[in-house]
Amino acid sequence: MTARLAIRGDLLDFTAEPAWGETESSAVRWRPGHWLLVEDGRIVSVQAEAPGPEWPREDHAGRLVLPGFVDTHVHSPQLDVIASYGSELLDWLNTYTFPAERRYADPQVAAEGAALFLDALLASGTTAAVVFPTVHKVSADALFAAAAERGMRVIAGKVLMDRHAPDGLRDDVEQAEADCRALIDRWHGRDRLAYAVTVRFAPTSTPEQLAMAGRLCAEDPTLYMQTHVAENRDEVRWVRELFPEARSYLDVYARAGLLHPRSVLAHGIWLDDADRAALRDSGAQIAHSPSSNLFLGSGLFGWRAAEAAGAAVSMASDVGGGTSLSMLRTLADAYKVQAMAGERLTAWKALHAATRGAAQALGLGHEIGSLEPGRHADLAVWDWAVGPVARQRLDVAQSLHEQVFAWMTLGDERNLAAAYVAGRISHRRA
């Protein structure tokens, strides 16, 4: 039988990318009190009038309905180290992250961790993500299996690290390639899953392993690639020592054939104009991770400079360096980062980078990120305000942007009433 559902609420999404600084934008599509009709997991129409009795209904009148958030960079095993005290990036990896990730060699730990992580994403209104598991093949298998069970759009891959990592977290080129190929054969293109060749970061891969990663990408252009770049100044100096032949940190990846339209590079704080031009020319994107950048003291991302160069920017929580899976908290931190750089990030620009903009940068704009007919019904339903302070702020807001900006700044996962994946309820607030 055809599965149908009609959802009513205040519908907000984007038809184009909002211009920087515009609080009144024609790119914003605002349809308050409308019905979203879903059939067999996809949006079929949006209408003001109530549907007929043949449509089961969920009435969220007075609530905000958005596409589910797309988190373009997050680490599934790092819930154990979120909110760890007192380190910059390289110390933080050695002190907290690597010991936590070593546990994921255990299949039970990997399975339980993947389930906890994905359910936590859904409870934050995030319905699609680009994810780092660990170096262990079993951790990627567990993550893909849990995502398939939930029907989620997840892009992930076994992490590659064959040097400068502790025992239990290093692979070798030959075995890593075999593991990648087995995972690609099993998961890439199955359900709503895709494989990402996953280089931890340049210092933890030998040139031989980077070359192997590049070969995988060249053989199948439908594969994604994910890694970190230019997050921290000490890291940048280390890369310069390890790869003296490269013009820059980003150039290490370019030389290995790892810059292409499906490349997702986290952070990108310490880039120059030539790097930004290389991002533009390759079609690669930067996954901006403001909460993590603030928490680890890594620096302030130059969003306007990246955009001016034509480089794509999407939004990422980067948990566990980031301090919350909530994209609302992440967007609020993005505003603060830009304010420190003398810029003002509108709610429209921020939300676009976490919905339609992220989907398009991943080549998935036809599937997710907006409330268009034909898209998967990956949706999040939000209360505008939770608590007396937020309710008072909402009551005095004068414009739609002011209302949405207050919700974005004061809200978090407690505002989420429900989340749907392909039209199926995946989280409902107790």
Side-chain angles (χ1 to χ4, degrees), residues 323-336:
T323 51
S324 176
L325 288 172
S326 168
M327 198 57 72
L328 289 183
R329 296 189 188 192
T330 301
L331 298 180
D333 281 343
Y335 177 85
K336 298 166 192 172

Side-chain angles (χ1 to χ4, degrees), residues 14 16-28 303-304 307 344-350 352 401:
F14 300 91
E17 183 172 1
W20 199 276
E22 284 189 359
T23 58
E24 299 289 334
S25 174
S26 61
V28 178
W303 193 335
R304 289 294 296 273
E307 182 178 277
R344 288 293 179 265
L345 179 68
T346 66
W348 307 142
K349 194 76 174 178
H352 180 269
H401 182 268

